[in-house]
Amino acid sequence: KKEGKKVQLQGEIQLLKRELTARQKTFGIELYDLLTNDKQTLLGVTAGTLFKGQSNNDGIKEPLERAREDIAGLQAKKDIKQKDLDVLEVKGAHTLPDYTLGQKATKAGAAVKNGAKGTKLQAEMALLDRDMKIRKEQFGIQVFDA
């Protein structure tokens, strides 16, 4: 009977640990978005000035700067892929009318190729979004323990 209670308590502890980690991750996403929000930039408050004159903020400032650098790199990659996708869409929209069957076949092949390329770019952008979310979650865990 004691062994069963012990296993039950261990299971409850694991569930609570998992819940704590999930809350830390959510906290990281929300805190990161709050600290890097464009509204703060408009008000003249940036992450660097937000922590000025405070001595107890080292637990947040350094992880925030590392997270900002990582996420900025991921965002730059996403922006490049978005530009490539925009170019594909413009290419597909601006074509001359077809006069021969050969032209139609060539354009159909190019349209399928561009469609596949566009789908690939969208999938890669979704992965980059996921990576940014994961990085924000890691930030939350780092800061929560600080």
Side-chain angles (χ1 to χ4, degrees):
K1 194 169 182 177
K2 285 184 180 182
E3 193 64 32
K5 186 70 172 173
K6 181 180 175 183
V7 170
Q8 179 187 4
L9 289 173
Q10 288 174 339
E12 289 176 6
I13 289 170
Q14 288 303 317
L15 285 174
L16 290 171
K17 283 182 180 178
R18 201 172 297 146
E19 184 179 331
L20 175 64
T21 302
R23 287 183 183 201
Q24 289 173 342
K25 289 178 177 183
T26 302
F27 169 76
I29 293 169
E30 292 173 357
L31 180 63
Y32 181 86
D33 289 341
L34 177 71
L35 293 175
T36 59
N37 195 340
D38 288 340
K39 290 179 184 175
Q40 289 180 331
T41 305
L42 291 174
L43 296 173
V45 179
T46 61
T49 60
L50 186 65
F51 298 117
K52 220 176 230 182
Q54 298 178 7
S55 59
N56 60 350
N57 61 21
D58 290 338
I60 295 176
K61 188 176 180 181
E62 290 179 26
L64 175 63
E65 291 303 318
R66 285 194 304 270
R68 285 177 64 178
E69 289 172 7
D70 293 345
I71 291 171
L74 292 170
Q75 185 63 49
K77 289 179 185 177
K78 183 181 174 189
D79 291 344
I80 290 169
K81 295 196 182 300
Q82 181 62 52
K83 286 178 185 174
D84 292 345
L85 185 62
D86 292 343
V87 167
L88 281 177
E89 290 174 357
V90 168
K91 274 185 184 178
H94 295 93
T95 58
L96 296 173
D98 304 324
Y99 296 110
T100 67
L101 191 58
Q103 288 175 332
K104 289 180 182 180
T106 302
K107 282 190 179 178
V112 170
K113 178 182 168 189
N114 287 343
K117 205 179 220 183
T119 301
K120 178 185 174 196
L121 288 170
Q122 288 174 337
E124 289 172 347
M125 288 170 32
L127 286 174
L128 288 168
D129 282 336
R130 190 198 75 182
D131 290 344
M132 285 187 271
K133 179 182 177 192
I134 289 170
R135 184 60 184 98
K136 290 177 186 180
E137 290 173 344
Q138 291 171 345
F139 167 70
I141 292 171
Q142 291 170 341
V143 171
F144 200 85
D145 291 336

